[in-house]
Amino acid sequence: MKVLILFYSTYGHIYKMAEAIAEGAREVDGAEVILRRVPETLSEDLLKQIGALEARKAFDHIPVCTVDELALADAIIFGTPTRFGNMAGQMRQFLDGTGGLWAKGALIGKVGSVFTSTATQHGGQESTILSFHTTLLHHGMIVAGLPYSFSNQNTIEEISGGSPYGATTITGGDGSRMPSENELAGARFQGKHVAAIAAKLAN
Ligand SMILES: Cc1cc2nc3c(=O)[nH]c(=O)nc-3n(C[C@H](O)[C@H](O)[C@H](O)COP(=O)(O)O)c2cc1C
């Protein structure tokens, strides 16, 4: 049973969450967990200008996904930072290359799930995940989120991401806040939850 974690990250927050998602998914017996990123569409010059080159070193080694790899997975967990309340263009562009898979119904019945990050607490965490789900539904995927059995999403003791729609993290306006323990725990929970559903479906 294959769980593909497919992400885009500019400054590393989503990559950090993707690693936690992977940790959780690996806890499920028989899960083969594959981490992939979507192609970068920004030039090296632009990445330098926006101060993203250093952060990228952490995840440059992750292979870039091919569209065909999606068809081989039993579950796909997508990670994207928010851009104006929606997924990042890099992820959108990759997904817009999946028309051939759609035509074949290649993703029908696979589990799909989404996690995200925003700079501000209310900067679009829920809208990014919910609008992403539309694409998964067009592909016939079974959408999974982060159930309330991850009870730490109820916390009001600290600022924290995490919602029934999926794991999230808040980066701060300058990106200096990395995912908190609670947010990483939510990501691990989501990874395990999705892998467990995929394992049941595979039986
Ligand atoms: C063009 C652009 C649009 C963005 N739009 C939003 C937004 O609508 N709400 C928000 O809270 N953060 C927004 N951000 C901040 C990013 O979501 C933040 O940098 C990202 O979550 C960091 O994740 P990463 O380190 O994985 O790249 C935006 C950033 C850029 C560059």
Side-chain angles (χ1 to χ4, degrees):
M1 188 268 293
K2 285 187 169 57
V3 180
L4 173 63
I5 299 161
L6 179 61
F7 71 93
Y8 173 73
S9 188
T10 306
Y11 298 106
H13 299 82
I14 282 291
Y15 171 57
K16 185 104 181 117
M17 293 288 278
E19 282 189 317
I21 295 260
E23 272 173 45
R26 284 191 199 104
E27 285 179 35
V28 174
D29 278 350
E32 182 192 336
V33 179
I34 304 151
L35 209 57
R36 293 284 184 270
R37 60 193 173 96
V38 300
E40 181 55 88
T41 59
L42 303 181
S43 68
E44 186 102 350
D45 255 9
L46 191 49
L47 287 170
K48 195 171 173 188
Q49 276 177 43
I50 64 172
L53 281 187
E54 193 54 34
R56 301 183 64 82
K57 289 182 187 159
F59 52 88
D60 260 352
H61 64 286
I62 304 288
V64 169
C65 198
T66 64
V67 162
D68 291 339
E69 280 179 287
L70 302 189
L72 302 175
D74 297 286
I76 310 171
I77 311 177
F78 300 86
T80 175
T82 290
R83 297 284 184 262
F84 308 118
N86 272 290
M87 72 174 82
Q90 288 82 351
M91 180 63 78
R92 184 70 263 163
Q93 180 151 332
F94 183 84
L95 292 174
D96 286 356
T98 62
L101 294 182
W102 172 83
K104 287 187 279 191
L107 304 188
I108 292 175
K110 297 181 188 299
V111 188
S113 196
V114 182
F115 60 101
T116 194
S117 60
T118 61
T120 62
Q121 226 178 328
H122 306 291
Q125 302 212 327
E126 297 182 356
S127 61
T128 299
I129 294 179
L130 289 171
S131 56
F132 201 129
H133 286 170
T134 313
T135 300
L136 306 190
L137 292 167
H138 275 255
H139 269 297
M141 299 185 85
I142 300 163
V143 174
L146 177 65
Y148 276 107
S149 43
F150 175 66
S151 58
N152 280 4
Q153 68 182 280
N154 291 312
T155 187
I156 50 168
E157 301 303 315
E158 57 176 292
I159 290 176
S160 182
S163 79
Y165 313 113
T168 63
T169 182
I170 301 155
T171 72
D174 61 0
S176 61
R177 181 181 183 274
M178 286 313 277
S180 68
E181 256 324 300
N182 198 46
E183 292 165 343
L184 292 171
R188 282 190 287 270
F189 195 107
Q190 186 175 355
K192 188 174 179 181
H193 175 61
V194 171
I197 295 169
K200 279 185 199 157
L201 290 172
N203 274 331

